[in-house]
Amino acid sequence: MAEWTSAVGAAQLARLITSQQERPAVPGARKLPAYRNLADGIRLLVLEGRVPVAARLPAERELAGSLSLSRTTVAAAYEALRGEGFLESRRGAGSWTSVPAGNPLPARGLEPLPPESLGSMIDLGCAALPAPEPWLTRAVQGALEELPPYAHTHGDYPAGLPALRRMLADRYSEQGIPTMPEQIMVTTGAMGAIDAICSLFAGRGERIAVESPSYANILQLMRAAGARLVPVAMAEGLAGWDMDVWRQVLRDSAPRLAYVVADFHNPTGALASEEQRRAMVEAARAAGTVLVADETMLELKLEPGLEMPRPVCSFDPAGSTVVTVGSASKAFWAGMRIGWVRAAPDVIRSLVAARAYADLGTPVLEQLAVNWLMRTGGWQEAVDIRRAQARENRDALVAAVRRELPDWEFEIPRGGLTLWARAGGLSGSRLAEVGERVGVRVPSGPRFGVDGAFEGYVRLPFTVGGPVAEEAAGRLAAAARLVGTGAAGGSAEPPRTFVA
C-alpha cells in the first residue's frame, strides 16, 4: 500500500515553486545552489500547507522538465529533503511529503494560535480581537434570562430563531432593502453560511470566481469542496475592483458563483464604490452567476464621518442574483459563532432543507445573545468599542511598521481589520517561516491567492497595539533581516516571553 494520499503534478508544483522566485533580488543576499533553492521552495510549500503532507511528488525527470532544470538538480533537492525529514521515498511507490518528528502538521487556513504559545509568540495570523466587554457578559446574561421557554422545546431551529430572523430582516429593511424573515437563515458563523451556499450552488468541479487576493479560509473551504477557482485580479492598493476584468471573467468563464468582500475587503481593506457594486450585480445577472456578498467586515469603518455605500444587495433587493452573508464574528467577537444569509425565500428554503444533512441548526443561547444585543442597543455600543480599538491598533501598527520596515509598501485602509503589505522584495513564505522562529506569527501572501500568487506580500491584522505592536514590528524586522541576508536557513534566537 502506498504511503501517499494525494498527488501533486509536475506542472502544478512548478507553478508554485516559480511563484516563490518571481521577486526582486535583495542586495547582499547570499546566492544558494539551484538544488538548495528547490529544496527550500518545496519545504516552504509543505510548511505552509500549500502542498499537503503525504502528497506524492512528481518523478525527478518530470519535475526537471517542468522547471527547465537538470535531473541531477532535482535529485539533489529530493535527497536534501529526505535528509531533513520533509520527504520519504520507497522503491516502486515514489516520493511523498512528510514533516520531521516534533514538527506540527501545517494548517492551510489561518487557525488561532494555541493558548500555550501566547506568552512567547505575537499572533498576527488571526484577524480577531478580544470581546468588547462588558457587552459579551451582559448579552449572555440577557440570553440566559430568555432561555427557559426555549428549553421546553426540542431546540432545533434549522432556519434560526424566529425572533433573530425577524430582527435581522428588520435591520435590512431599515437600510431601505425590504426584507422578510423568510429571506433570512441563521448559520454557525459566516464560514457555515458560505459552506452551505457552496454546497447548494456549486458542486464538485463547478467554477467559482474569487477576488485575487481573497480571504484564505474561504479559498480553502472552496478548494476542499472541489470547486474550480477562477481568480479575478484586484487593482493595486485600495482601488479594488476592475469592472472590465470582472465582466470579461464572468462572461467568458460563466462561473456558477462569484464571491466578493465589497466592504473593507480581506486582506486589502478596499471599499467598493456604489458604481462598482451596481456594475458587479449587473455583470453577475447577465452571466447567470450567483453573487455572494460577504458583509463580515461591514460595520468596521474606522474613519469617523465615512459615508458608506449602499449594500450590494440593495441593487438586487429580491435576492435573485445576490446572496448576502453577515456575521457577528468580526464586528462583535469571533467566539460568538453567529452568521446569517439573506437571499430569496426559495434559496433560503433550499439551504434550510440541506441542514438536515449538515449541522441541523445554530446554538440557541448564542442566537438569543445576539438578538438581545440588537434589541437593546448593546450591539451598537459594542461595535463602537470595537471600532475604537481597531482604529487605535491600526494606527499603532502602521507607525511601528513604517519605522522598523521603511521599505515595505502599503496603503492605510479606512476600515476592516487588515493591512496588505508588499514586503520589500522579500518572500512572504520565508518571512512567515522565519517569523515563527523569532516570535511573530504572520500569514504570507500566497495563502490569499490561487496557485502561489502574492509571494511578495504578508497580511498584518489590527489585533495588537501599543508596545505589542512595536515589538511585533521589531520581530518582523528581525525576520526580514534574516531572510534578506540569506541566513534564514539557520536557527534563530528563540523569542523571549512578552507580556503586554
Side-chain angles (χ1 to χ4, degrees):
M1 179 183 294
E3 279 78 356
W4 50 271
T5 58
S6 62
V8 181
Q12 178 188 4
L13 185 57
R15 282 196 306 272
L16 291 170
I17 292 168
T18 301
S19 71
Q20 297 177 327
Q21 300 166 348
E22 292 175 348
R23 59 187 188 277
V26 178
R30 188 173 63 198
K31 185 174 178 61
L32 298 175
Y35 86 89
R36 186 67 261 173
N37 273 327
L38 177 56
D40 287 350
I42 294 173
R43 175 173 53 84
L44 282 169
L45 291 172
V46 173
L47 287 172
E48 283 212 321
R50 289 189 286 143
V51 168
V53 174
R56 186 180 187 275
L57 296 188
E60 296 167 2
R61 189 185 302 278
E62 294 175 5
L63 186 58
S66 294
L67 288 170
S68 299
L69 294 172
S70 71
R71 184 178 177 182
T72 302
T73 298
V74 176
Y78 278 17
E79 183 59 34
L81 290 168
R82 277 189 286 270
E84 296 162 4
F86 286 95
L87 195 68
E88 296 182 21
S89 304
R90 198 182 74 233
R91 185 177 298 277
S95 299
W96 57 93
T97 56
S98 61
V99 292
N103 276 39
L105 286 173
R108 297 195 60 155
L110 305 180
E111 74 290 347
L113 190 69
E116 63 270 17
S117 302
L118 292 176
S120 60
M121 186 76 69
I122 298 176
D123 187 10
L124 296 181
C126 187
L129 290 163
E133 288 287 31
W135 290 107
L136 174 62
T137 299
R138 291 181 183 177
V140 173
Q141 290 171 341
L144 286 171
E145 292 175 1
E146 297 176 5
L147 181 62
Y150 295 94
H152 295 292
T153 73
H154 50 64
D156 285 336
Y157 296 88
L161 291 185
L164 182 54
R165 295 178 74 195
R166 189 177 307 109
M167 177 66 68
L168 293 167
D170 289 347
R171 286 170 63 86
Y172 281 106
S173 297
E174 289 166 4
Q175 297 179 68
I177 311 161
T179 304
M180 304 178 295
E182 292 78 10
Q183 290 179 262
I184 301 292
M185 181 177 82
V186 181
T187 63
T188 308
M191 291 289 288
I194 294 171
D195 186 32
I197 293 166
C198 290
S199 297
L200 178 63
F201 287 104
R204 183 166 295 276
E206 292 277 6
R207 294 184 180 92
I208 301 179
V210 294
E211 298 146 327
S212 184
S214 187
Y215 180 38
N217 286 345
I218 293 296
L219 295 180
Q220 180 54 22
L221 182 155
M222 292 174 176
R223 289 189 190 101
R228 298 164 60 190
L229 301 184
V230 182
V232 187
M234 296 282 284
E236 281 293 317
L238 299 179
W241 297 260
D242 185 328
M243 290 316 305
D244 288 337
V245 175
W246 269 99
R247 290 188 191 94
Q248 180 179 347
V249 169
L250 295 182
R251 183 178 62 247
D252 295 348
S253 298
R256 188 71 183 90
L257 288 179
Y259 170 77
V260 298
V261 186
D263 299 285
F264 308 122
H265 176 260
N266 186 355
T268 68
L271 177 65
S273 67
E274 283 205 9
E275 292 74 17
Q276 288 172 322
R277 294 165 191 242
R278 180 183 291 106
M280 185 84 69
V281 174
E282 291 173 352
R285 184 180 293 119
T289 297
V290 175
L291 181 63
V292 181
D294 186 339
E295 293 184 341
T296 302
M297 297 283 189
L298 172 65
E299 303 210 48
L300 292 174
K301 65 174 186 178
L302 305 185
E303 299 297 339
L306 173 64
E307 185 174 346
M308 292 292 291
R310 285 181 290 168
V312 175
C313 62
S314 68
F315 301 101
D316 178 52
S320 58
T321 295
V322 177
V323 175
T324 301
V325 171
S327 172
S329 300
K330 302 298 184 185
F332 186 74
W333 185 47
M336 188 69 77
R337 303 305 305 159
I338 297 294
W340 54 87
V341 178
R342 180 200 181 274
D346 62 317
V347 172
I348 295 298
R349 285 193 295 270
S350 297
L351 289 170
V352 170
R355 291 192 92 165
Y357 311 102
D359 63 355
L360 295 178
T362 302
V364 170
L365 188 63
E366 293 182 28
Q367 292 186 72
L368 288 172
V370 170
N371 189 60
W372 183 93
L373 284 166
M374 291 180 173
R375 189 183 72 247
T376 61
W379 178 269
Q380 191 56 53
E381 295 278 354
V383 167
D384 288 343
I385 293 172
R386 172 68 74 240
R387 288 173 176 167
Q389 187 178 16
R391 184 185 309 116
E392 182 179 338
N393 286 356
R394 179 197 65 180
D395 295 345
L397 186 64
V398 165
V401 172
R402 281 180 169 167
R403 181 176 60 253
E404 297 287 345
L405 295 151
D407 58 336
W408 284 27
E409 303 170 49
F410 53 83
E411 291 190 39
I412 304 173
R414 295 176 292 173
L417 285 173
T418 58
L419 191 72
W420 185 239
R422 182 183 282 116
L426 299 177
S427 161
S429 299
R430 286 174 169 79
L431 282 167
E433 181 198 13
V434 177
E436 294 261 0
R437 305 206 313 257
V438 300
V440 60
R441 187 168 178 265
V442 59
S444 67
R447 288 183 175 236
F448 303 88
V450 177
D451 277 346
F454 308 108
E455 182 59 50
Y457 288 80
V458 294
R459 190 194 73 169
L460 306 176
F462 312 142
T463 53
V464 297
V468 186
E470 295 176 8
E471 179 71 13
R475 294 184 184 186
L476 278 174
R481 286 191 294 271
L482 287 170
V483 174
T485 58
S491 60
E493 180 182 350
R496 63 183 182 279
T497 299
F498 184 81
V499 179

